[in-house]
Amino acid sequence: MFLGRQGDLANHLFSELKTVSRKHLQLIIAEGIWNVKMCSPVTNSDSTTFNGTKMEHEKLYPMISGEFKVSMSRSCEITLRVRETNEAVDS
């Protein structure tokens, strides 16, 4: 799944943000763990961060459980929330 102006997940949220690439981030499940990676080539990679740390192109950033802050640009920050599969979901 891709996040960005032309991503396949919530692209309507990013479509007007010129500081976000068309396919900026990718969400991947690898070995049962959610990961996020910055796609290549992202033009404004200096302001793309994962929990405050500058992201590297094509590197997987694991998200085991909890909330993760991802800045896609200086004007766009999102929170990704991951639950372990055995955690109860509030209704």
Side-chain angles (χ1 to χ4, degrees):
M1 291 183 283
F2 290 95
L3 293 170
R5 292 192 334 263
Q6 293 180 357
D8 46 27
L9 184 64
N11 63 353
H12 65 284
L13 299 174
F14 310 111
S15 63
E16 299 298 318
L17 296 173
K18 300 301 180 197
T19 58
V20 173
S21 296
R22 286 183 288 256
K23 290 187 177 177
H24 200 100
L25 299 174
Q26 186 176 15
L27 299 175
I28 302 167
I29 296 178
E31 298 179 17
I33 297 172
W34 279 101
N35 294 268
V36 63
K37 76 173 184 175
M38 180 173 50
C39 300
S40 199
V42 169
T43 55
N44 61 338
S45 61
D46 287 343
S47 56
T48 302
T49 62
F50 178 80
N51 283 339
T53 302
K54 181 180 172 183
M55 294 180 75
E56 299 175 32
H57 284 98
E58 302 298 325
K59 178 180 176 182
L60 294 178
Y61 292 83
M63 301 181 293
I64 302 208
S65 182
E67 289 190 352
F68 304 90
K69 301 280 185 196
V70 180
S71 174
M72 297 169 74
S73 72
R74 288 182 181 87
S75 61
C76 180
E77 183 177 278
I78 61 172
T79 300
L80 300 172
R81 185 175 299 133
V82 178
R83 293 190 193 111
E84 292 186 38
T85 56
N86 59 355
E87 288 183 30
V89 177
D90 295 335
S91 45

